[in-house]
């Protein structure tokens, strides 16, 4: 999937289990940066059994880069987890054409 700057997209998770699932989405950038997309700091996002969790998001590009390759990583747990400790700033940028 290739998206342009300021393009909107949707993330959906269906809970087919019999337990609440707590959702976290991390953004792993090719620049080395890691960010928590959902939930917002201090909040817990969950999807009840038989329900679907849907969030809309929009792409952006930092001023100091021309392009970036992101991987969104979804975590679904049965207890709330705080993934803020994984956040980090960009390190040495890799060659995206390699």
């Amino acid at each position: 999937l290739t998206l342009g700057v300021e393009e909107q997209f949707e993330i959906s998770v269906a809970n087919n289990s019999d337990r609440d699932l707590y959702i976290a989405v991390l953004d792993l950038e090719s620049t080395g940066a890691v960010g928590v997309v959902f939930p917002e700091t201090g909040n817990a996002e969950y999807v009840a059994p038989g329900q679907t969790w849907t969030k809309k998001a929009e792409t952006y590009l930092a001023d100091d880069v021309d392009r970036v390759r992101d991987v969104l990583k979804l975590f679904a747990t049965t207890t709330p987890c705080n993934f803020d400790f994984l956040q980090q700033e960009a390190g040495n940028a890799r060659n995206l054409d390699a």
Side-chain angles (χ1 to χ4, degrees):
L1 177 64
T2 302
L3 299 171
V5 177
E6 297 181 358
E7 194 167 340
Q8 292 188 358
F9 63 99
E10 192 172 270
I11 302 168
S12 293
V13 177
N15 182 355
N16 297 324
S17 75
D18 60 354
R19 299 176 73 177
D20 287 344
L21 292 179
Y22 291 85
I23 304 298
V25 178
L26 274 59
D27 179 7
L28 311 175
E29 295 183 15
S30 58
T31 62
V34 177
V36 176
V37 177
F38 296 108
E40 292 183 17
T41 300
N43 293 329
E45 299 268 351
Y46 76 94
V47 56
Q51 299 297 309
T52 299
W53 176 89
T54 302
K55 290 291 182 180
K56 292 184 180 183
E58 183 174 282
T59 62
Y60 69 93
L61 192 61
D63 293 333
D64 59 342
V65 294
D66 295 332
R67 63 185 174 147
V68 66
R69 182 172 295 147
D70 289 29
V71 173
L72 295 180
K73 181 76 172 176
L74 171 79
F75 292 89
T77 63
T78 56
T79 58
C81 292
N82 183 344
F83 290 95
D84 287 346
F85 73 95
L86 293 174
Q87 294 189 103
Q88 65 182 24
E89 297 294 321
N92 295 330
R94 296 183 353 208
N95 181 350
L96 296 177
D97 296 321

